[in-house]
Amino acid sequence: EIVLTQSPGTLSLSPGERATLSCRASQSVNSRYLAWYQQKPGQAPRLLIYGASSRATGIPDRFTGYGSGTDFTLTINRLEPEDFAVYFCQQYGSSPWTFGQGTKVEFK
Amino acid sequence: QVQLQQSGPGLMKTSQTLSLTCAISGNTLSSNSATWNWIRQSPSRGLEWLGRTYYRTQRFNEYAVSVKGRITITTDTSNNQFSLYLSSVGPEDTAVYYCARGIYDFFDFWGQGTLVTVSS
């Protein structure tokens, strides 16, 4: 089973700043099969990025994903108030599909 | 637009069988490109994929090793819904349970979530 480790655990930032979130896999993720999700309190996760770098429908271009192998990154440029949430990565290159433990982006 | 509507009880006692249903609109259980998944989330275990059902000329079910032997996913094509059954529940099964559509095994549409609390 591929273990995903996200860092940092919490990111304290202000609106307008850039967020950089890391997701490291315990072994190489096949074909960049890495997704990112956003979750707000009381809500289901929302798909942001799939294939490591493709934005899902309706996701603004301030969200950018990149990486390959074992190291993946999600950047959020110019944080908007609605971007303060928890972000999860998920690999789907190898069953069982696994998730990282999450990074919380909070108001500074 | 795909929508997933979950139903089922939120409070259970130890050793009972958890039962949740996910009704699909905007897509079908027999889609050749989608999978239909159950995922749970708890503070101790994080997000955990439990299993899936999908159709590719025939029906397939796959389950996570962590719950294998206790989990069953069934389908009801006439009502376009699928269900999760998890037997012999214990406090460690307390979690928010989600159904979700899988496309290439990432999850693009999710149900609203059901908090299931297991107590003695």
Side-chain angles (χ1 to χ4, degrees):
Chain A
E1 166 174 324
I2 295 179
V3 176
L4 299 178
T5 303
Q6 293 186 241
S7 61
T10 302
L11 208 44
S12 299
L13 295 167
S14 300
E17 292 191 298
R18 170 186 290 182
T20 301
L21 288 67
S22 173
C23 177
R24 179 161 290 177
S26 60
Q27 53 189 281
S28 185
V29 176
N30 291 338
S31 304
R32 289 160 39 98
Y33 286 161
L34 194 286
W36 289 93
Y37 301 85
Q38 176 194 69
Q39 188 177 34
K40 297 180 180 179
Q43 296 183 16
R46 172 196 179 198
L47 177 68
L48 298 175
I49 300 285
Y50 63 92
S53 60
S54 297
R55 275 185 293 274
T57 303
I59 302 303
D61 61 7
R62 64 178 181 273
F63 291 90
T64 302
Y66 58 93
S68 64
T70 60
D71 289 301
F72 297 86
T73 301
L74 174 70
T75 63
I76 313 170
N77 288 313
R78 302 179 308 278
L79 279 164
E80 297 284 345
E82 63 267 27
D83 299 335
F84 291 85
V86 180
Y87 293 84
F88 296 94
C89 55
Q90 177 232 339
Q91 67 80 24
Y92 53 100
S94 174
S95 180
W97 327 130
T98 52
F99 294 84
Q101 83 280 15
T103 290
K104 182 179 183 181
V105 178
E106 66 174 20
F107 283 101
K108 187 173 182 180
Chain B
Q1 178 80 340
V2 176
Q3 291 188 317
L4 303 175
Q5 181 66 40
Q6 297 178 220
S7 59
L11 190 58
M12 306 194 59
K13 293 194 180 299
T14 301
S15 80
Q16 289 184 328
T17 296
L18 180 158
S19 170
L20 296 173
T21 295
C22 182
I24 304 163
S25 58
N27 203 176
T28 70
L29 266 173
S30 302
S31 165
N32 275 306
S33 57
T35 63
W36 304 98
N37 298 263
W38 287 100
I39 296 161
R40 67 182 177 184
Q41 184 175 29
S42 65
S44 59
R45 303 171 75 101
L47 283 159
E48 179 184 18
W49 174 80
L50 299 177
R52 65 179 180 174
T53 185
Y54 59 98
Y55 185 82
R56 303 286 186 271
T57 73
Q58 69 181 68
R59 175 69 54 189
F60 294 92
N61 290 336
E62 295 175 359
Y63 303 126
V65 170
S66 61
V67 290
K68 212 164 190 177
R70 296 199 295 137
I71 187 173
T72 304
I73 295 176
T74 65
T75 57
D76 177 357
T77 52
S78 60
N79 289 302
N80 205 33
Q81 60 188 32
F82 63 110
S83 298
L84 167 70
Y85 296 92
L86 187 65
S87 64
S88 304
V89 297
E92 68 278 6
D93 295 308
T94 293
V96 177
Y97 286 74
Y98 294 100
C99 59
R101 185 180 84 161
I103 293 289
Y104 298 108
D105 299 320
F106 59 85
F107 308 111
D108 60 348
F109 291 98
W110 295 64
Q112 79 274 24
T114 302
L115 173 60
V116 176
T117 303
V118 181
S119 69
S120 54

